[in-house]
């Protein structure tokens, strides 16, 4: 608390961490309980997922609620200490977290996942779609898409001209483990580079 002396605060934290009932599972269940209490039950939900590195040592995966005001409210965390991934990969952590969150929010009528580059693996995309959830995810360059007419395109910034937009619907993403989705490219004049996006949402691009 604000009134606690730092020494007393340290002692309280130490007692809390020593409590045998204070486990990773306990924290997870508490987060999920608070998340369900916080989120609206009858409105479309926008969730952002991202990795953050703290002090170049700890890697945290966060899931945040993008509020109508535009502010992001953290809901859930997972992660690992660098060089100590053990048996789990980053993609496995992402998938486990998404299963937990989307499985507990199945009662919400519409959810859309927003994510930056790095979450564009077919495994993650298929998992999100399995839960009948929308996604808009930035894609790394040098991946491939195949149009319904059979044309192959290597994803790169030159696909879109500055100030221009591009859309390919129902394309196969990646040559190995292809995923059927929509590809969008948007390059605003004031941006350094275009936004290259993967989505299972059909949007109007004018």
């Amino acid at each position: 608390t604000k009134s606690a002396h730092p020494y007393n605060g340290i002692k309280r934290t130490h007692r809390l961490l020593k409590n045998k009932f204070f486990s990773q599972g306990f924290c997870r269940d508490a987060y999920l309980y608070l998340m369900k209490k916080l989120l609206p039950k009858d409105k479309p939900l926008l969730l952002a997922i991202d990795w953050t590195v703290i002090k170049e040592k700890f890697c945290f995966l966060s899931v945040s609620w993008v509020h109508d005001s535009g502010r992001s409210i953290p809901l859930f965390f997972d992660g690992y200490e660098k060089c100590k991934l053990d048996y789990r990969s980053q993609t496995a952590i992402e998938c486990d977290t998404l299963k937990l969150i989307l499985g507990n929010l199945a009662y919400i009528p519409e959810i859309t996942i927003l994510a930056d580059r790095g979450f564009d693996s077919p495994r993650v995309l298929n998992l999100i779609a399995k839960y009948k959830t929308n996604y808009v995810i930035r894609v790394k360059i040098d991946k491939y898409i195949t149009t319904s007419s059979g044309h192959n395109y290597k994803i790169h910034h030159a696909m879109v001209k500055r100030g221009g937009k591009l859309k390919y619907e129902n394309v196969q993403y990646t040559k190995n483990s292809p995923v059927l989705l929509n590809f969008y490219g948007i390059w605003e004049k004031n941006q350094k580079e275009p936004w290259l996006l993967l989505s299972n949402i059909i949007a109007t691009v004018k």
Side-chain angles (χ1 to χ4, degrees):
T1 62
K2 292 183 179 180
S3 60
H5 187 277
Y7 175 77
N8 293 327
I10 292 171
K11 288 181 66 177
R12 292 176 186 176
T13 303
H14 182 71
R15 285 199 300 269
L16 178 64
L17 295 176
K18 288 292 185 181
N19 190 320
K20 64 179 182 179
F21 297 106
F22 187 76
S23 62
Q24 185 178 11
F26 175 86
C27 293
R28 178 200 62 210
D29 294 342
Y31 265 114
L32 292 174
Y33 173 79
L34 293 173
M35 180 180 67
K36 290 182 179 180
K37 295 262 301 179
L38 175 68
L39 296 175
K41 296 179 175 59
D42 55 353
K43 293 176 59 178
L45 192 65
L46 200 58
L47 298 179
I49 182 168
D50 196 15
W51 282 100
T52 303
V53 179
I54 299 176
K55 294 185 177 181
E56 299 183 359
K57 185 177 182 181
F58 299 102
C59 301
F60 282 97
L61 177 67
S62 63
V63 179
S64 302
W65 171 32
V66 183
H67 192 263
D68 294 341
S69 64
R71 302 188 69 175
S72 182
I73 303 172
L75 298 174
F76 195 84
F77 299 91
D78 198 349
Y80 63 95
E81 187 176 348
K82 276 192 173 181
C83 303
K84 294 184 179 180
L85 258 177
D86 298 326
Y87 62 93
R88 290 205 300 174
S89 65
Q90 276 202 352
T91 301
I93 294 174
E94 293 162 5
C95 289
D96 289 345
T97 300
L98 285 168
K99 286 178 185 177
L100 190 64
I101 297 298
L102 297 178
N104 277 274
L105 297 180
Y107 59 89
I108 293 180
E110 182 180 341
I111 300 176
T112 301
I113 300 289
L114 302 179
D116 208 345
R117 288 169 289 210
F119 292 87
D120 55 359
S121 71
R123 183 178 173 187
V124 171
L125 299 175
N126 283 324
L127 175 65
I128 296 173
K130 179 182 176 181
Y131 283 90
K132 298 181 180 179
T133 299
N134 299 326
Y135 60 81
V136 180
I137 297 176
R138 289 186 75 183
V139 61
K140 295 177 182 177
I141 60 172
D142 297 334
K143 300 289 184 69
Y144 286 88
I145 56 173
T146 304
T147 65
S148 56
S149 59
H151 290 92
N152 292 307
Y153 294 98
K154 189 176 183 179
I155 298 174
H156 55 88
H157 293 159
M159 294 178 73
V160 190
K161 295 182 179 179
R162 185 181 290 273
K165 298 179 181 180
L166 177 70
K167 176 173 75 170
Y168 289 115
E169 292 183 3
N170 298 319
V171 299
Q172 296 280 355
Y173 168 66
T174 73
K175 293 182 177 180
N176 298 322
S177 304
V179 180
L180 186 65
L181 44 73
N182 306 305
F183 174 83
Y184 300 94
I186 304 172
W187 194 348
E188 300 289 348
K189 291 182 178 179
N190 60 345
Q191 291 179 332
K192 183 179 178 181
E193 61 184 39
W195 283 71
L196 305 175
L197 306 170
L198 305 176
S199 180
N200 55 355
I201 302 172
I202 297 178
T204 302
V205 177
K206 297 181 180 179

